[in-house]
Amino acid sequence: MAPAAVASGDEATHQALRAIKQDMEDALNKQDLDRLLSHLHPDVVFSTMNNDVRVGKDAIRAYYAEMLGGPNSVVKKVTAKFDVDALTRLYGNSGVAYGSSLDHYILNDGTDLVVNGRWTCTLVKEGDRWLIAAFHYSTNVFDNPCSPR
């Protein structure tokens, strides 16, 4: 199926959303939490890979410390490559994006995993800025070449 045509006014929006995706990927890979949080709505809802749900930036900061950086954290390092499946579906001042990711986790117990993930992201426009209002991350545990390296 041929991709849908993009209205000329939407092209600038899609470019801005691509920039957010790239900056989020870069921030995660550099473990730059402040930069990552800068793209989130204050009341963001984040459904995590471990089936946890965190609401708000403070809750995400706490989750990050628990999982990646705190004294009892599970993850030593994570890198991800996010790919989009299609242009963001725009609904006025909101949009829904979705795609896949290839994630590399090094756990504090020495486990080294590569995971194929899926994600969905809801964005809202406040003023002239797009912010992530919800992000859901998951994987197919029944058919995923997730294996120790």
Side-chain angles (χ1 to χ4, degrees), residues 1-14:
M1 175 184 288
V6 178
S8 61
D10 290 343
E11 183 56 32
T13 295
H14 288 295

Side-chain angles (χ1 to χ4, degrees), residues 2 4 14 16 18 21 23 28 33 50 56-57 60 79 83-85 90 92 95-96 101 104 106 109 124 132 138:
H14 288 295
R18 286 181 193 104
K21 189 238 13 134
D23 200 46
L28 177 64
L33 182 58
N50 64 341
K57 289 183 179 186
I60 291 174
T79 56
D83 290 310
V84 296
D85 287 353
L90 299 173
V96 176
S101 65
H104 181 201
I106 299 174
D109 70 1
V124 294
I132 296 171
S138 65

Side-chain angles (χ1 to χ4, degrees), residues 28-31 64 67-69 73-80 103-108 111-113:
L28 177 64
N29 291 338
K30 292 177 181 169
Q31 298 181 5
Y64 191 92
M67 295 302 292
L68 184 73
S73 62
V74 175
V75 180
K76 182 176 184 178
K77 183 175 182 182
V78 61
T79 56
D103 312 320
H104 181 201
Y105 293 88
I106 299 174
L107 307 183
N108 279 326
T111 303
D112 191 331
L113 299 171

